[in-house]
């Protein structure tokens, strides 16, 4: 339990598909359909159990000067974390943090929860923090490896575009790192995070590569949801349960909308029409449909087990009888093989 029960509480909030996440209502639907009061869940808090933290065994003694700087970082997080990021510090190991980031709307990561274990080095902030992504063995993004490595110029794990993007001991903060991961890494078109892929140009083959990448990123996000529900990181069990209780319907409806080509992956917003300019049906790969068909019932069961209200939703994915979109445009010879090769390179066989 938290040591600071007398401190200001930030209540947990319900929100629809997309941005924000977790901050403010005091009632929730129980498993029997009744409403009940729920404990507030703070955006920043200090907990005791660090037993499953990635850096726990590598933790080093922290000098007093570094501890003082870390306390400043704690205060910054407590005061300025957005609703879509939750952080836990550890009472017995002040050099460790764990963060949960909600995927933003209009990205293939929407409604997902992404976890990062953080370690401050003894000479922080002269050196940047170490950050490990809880990947479950999946590579969901060019910057987030299956090993858990996080490639980001602000962490000095990528050369970036110059010194101004690298860690600056006088100005950089862990809050800045978390916001950069959310906005710059888990973004709308992660395919272009990879060096050499250029920039997004509508109507080109790069757009098709980007769309294929987003399909796979959403598939892996759904797989990660199942893994999180089966094995939640310690200190975040309540957050994970409430998050998916709140967003289960939106996630399942997104699976159906994407599989049927009603909207491009990433752009489903529950109860809202597609954004302007994205209302036409889109072609969907056979592989993506098959993944959605297999994952949808697993998600349905997992969300139901957590007490999510799924009234009106089918237990299995429904595919439109007339197909999921227009036939794909003619492609150059070998392009399909190139796309498949790209997907295997980034995502592996899992």
């Amino acid at each position: 339990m938290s040591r600071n029960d007398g401190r200001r509480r930030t209540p947990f909030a319900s929100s629809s598909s997309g941005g924000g996440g977790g901050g403010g209502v005091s009632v929730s639907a129980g498993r029997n359909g009744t409403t009940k009061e729920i404990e507030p869940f703070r955006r920043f808090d200090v907990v005791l159990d660090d037993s499953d933290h990635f850096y726990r065994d590598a933790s080093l003694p922290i000098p007093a000067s570094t501890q003082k700087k870390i306390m400043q970082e704690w205060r910054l997080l407590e005061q300025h974390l957005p609703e879509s990021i939750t952080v836990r510090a550890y009472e017995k190991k002040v050099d460790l943090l764990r963060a949960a980031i909600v995927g933003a709307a209009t990205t293939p990561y929407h409604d997902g929860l992404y976890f990062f274990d953080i370690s401050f080095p003894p000479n922080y902030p002269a050196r940047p923090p170490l950050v490990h992504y809880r990947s479950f063995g999946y590579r969901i993004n060019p910057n987030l490896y299956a090993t858990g490595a996080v490639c980001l110029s602000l962490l000095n794990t990528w050369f970036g575009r110059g010194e101004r993007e690298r860690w600056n001991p006088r100005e950089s903060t862990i809050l800045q790192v978390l916001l950069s991961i959310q906005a710059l890494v888990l973004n709308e078109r992660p395919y272009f995070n990879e060096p050499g892929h250029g920039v997004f140009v509508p109507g080109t083959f790069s757009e098709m590569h980007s769309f294929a990448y987003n399909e796979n990123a959403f598939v892996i996000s759904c797989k990660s949801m199942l893994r999180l529900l089966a094995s939640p990181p310690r200190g975040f069990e309540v957050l994970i349960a409430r998050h998916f209780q709140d967003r289960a319907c939106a996630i399942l409806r997104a699976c159906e909308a994407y599989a049927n080509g009603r909207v491009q992956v990433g752009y489903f917003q529950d109860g809202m029409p597609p954004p302007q300019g994205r209302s036409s049906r889109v072609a969907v790969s056979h592989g993506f449909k098959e993944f959605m068909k297999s994952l949808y019932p697993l998600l349905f069961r997992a969300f139901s087990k957590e007490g999510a209200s799924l009234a009106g939703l089918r237990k299995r994915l429904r595919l439109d009888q007339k197909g999921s979109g227009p036939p794909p445009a003619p492609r150059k010879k070998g392009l399909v093989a190139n796309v498949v090769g790209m997907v295997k390179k980034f995502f592996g066989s899992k």
Side-chain angles (χ1 to χ4, degrees):
M1 297 299 293
S2 166
R3 97 181 161 178
N4 54 347
D5 288 338
R7 288 160 57 184
R8 175 180 57 82
R9 291 178 177 269
T10 304
F12 188 92
S14 171
S15 65
S16 60
S17 174
V25 295
S26 59
V27 296
S28 175
R31 292 178 185 271
N32 60 358
T34 62
T35 58
K36 60 180 180 179
E37 291 187 1
I38 61 176
E39 290 291 327
F41 198 88
R42 307 177 197 176
R43 288 297 160 205
F44 179 85
D45 208 349
V46 182
V47 296
L48 288 171
D49 190 356
D50 57 31
S51 58
D52 68 335
H53 196 283
F54 181 79
Y55 294 108
R56 180 177 186 266
D57 294 334
S59 182
L60 297 172
I62 302 297
S65 59
T66 300
Q67 290 190 36
K68 181 179 179 180
K69 177 60 179 176
I70 291 174
M71 293 300 103
Q72 293 174 1
E73 295 276 11
W74 284 17
R75 287 192 290 272
L76 186 67
L77 290 169
E78 186 171 26
Q79 295 170 8
H80 297 291
L81 276 174
E83 287 192 350
S84 52
I85 301 177
T86 304
V87 174
R88 290 293 177 262
Y90 298 91
E91 184 172 313
K92 294 183 179 180
K93 290 185 179 291
V94 298
D95 56 319
L96 303 182
L97 293 175
R98 172 169 288 162
I101 297 177
V102 180
T106 71
T107 76
Y109 307 107
H110 69 81
D111 295 308
L113 272 177
Y114 308 95
F115 282 83
F116 299 85
D117 282 0
I118 299 160
S119 174
F120 293 103
N123 60 344
Y124 183 85
R127 286 177 52 214
L130 301 174
V131 180
H132 175 85
Y133 169 58
R134 184 175 285 253
S135 70
F136 301 107
Y138 305 131
R139 190 175 183 188
I140 199 169
N141 184 283
N143 299 75
L144 304 176
Y145 287 73
T147 60
V150 178
C151 187
L152 186 68
S153 56
L154 186 57
L155 297 173
N156 293 349
T157 53
W158 170 247
F159 56 80
R161 299 173 180 170
E163 287 299 318
R164 61 186 178 85
E165 293 188 0
R166 295 175 66 80
W167 181 263
N168 183 335
R170 295 181 300 276
E171 298 178 0
S172 301
T173 66
I174 192 63
L175 177 61
Q176 184 183 359
V177 169
L178 297 176
L179 293 174
S180 295
I181 291 172
Q182 184 180 51
L184 302 180
V185 174
L186 301 171
N187 63 33
E188 181 181 9
R189 300 186 182 97
Y191 171 78
F192 297 100
N193 290 10
E194 185 70 18
H197 285 176
V199 297
F200 174 75
V201 180
T204 65
F205 287 118
S206 66
E207 181 181 24
M208 188 183 71
H209 283 288
S210 178
F211 182 68
Y213 196 99
N214 281 7
E215 285 186 341
N216 283 276
F218 184 74
V219 166
I220 293 177
S221 183
C222 291
K223 290 182 177 181
S224 297
M225 294 175 194
L226 293 170
R227 297 290 294 272
L228 280 174
L229 287 165
S231 181
R234 290 172 188 170
F236 286 85
E237 295 90 345
V238 172
L239 174 68
I240 291 169
R242 293 181 186 173
H243 175 87
F244 289 114
Q245 287 171 5
D246 181 44
R247 301 188 181 214
C249 288
I251 293 166
L252 293 172
R253 290 183 183 123
C255 290
E256 186 175 39
Y258 297 153
N260 284 295
R262 297 174 195 154
V263 63
Q264 285 189 12
V265 170
Y267 293 97
F268 177 80
Q269 296 187 43
D270 198 21
M272 300 290 291
Q276 187 176 4
R278 300 185 183 274
S279 58
S280 60
R281 298 175 69 88
V282 295
V284 181
S285 70
H286 175 74
F288 180 73
K289 288 183 185 180
E290 292 302 309
F291 272 122
M292 288 295 97
K293 284 171 62 178
S294 64
L295 287 170
Y296 182 98
L298 299 178
L299 290 166
F300 189 100
R301 287 198 295 271
F303 295 154
S304 296
K305 186 177 179 181
E306 292 300 322
S309 177
L310 303 178
L313 292 175
R314 292 175 171 81
K315 294 182 179 181
R316 295 191 175 276
L317 182 68
R318 179 183 64 181
L319 292 177
D320 294 346
Q321 296 299 314
K322 295 182 180 180
S324 59
R331 300 174 179 175
K332 292 182 179 179
K333 183 178 180 181
L335 185 58
V336 172
N338 289 341
V339 172
V340 172
M342 177 272 294
V343 169
K344 288 183 177 179
K345 174 184 175 183
F346 290 130
F347 294 99
S349 59
K350 293 190 177 185

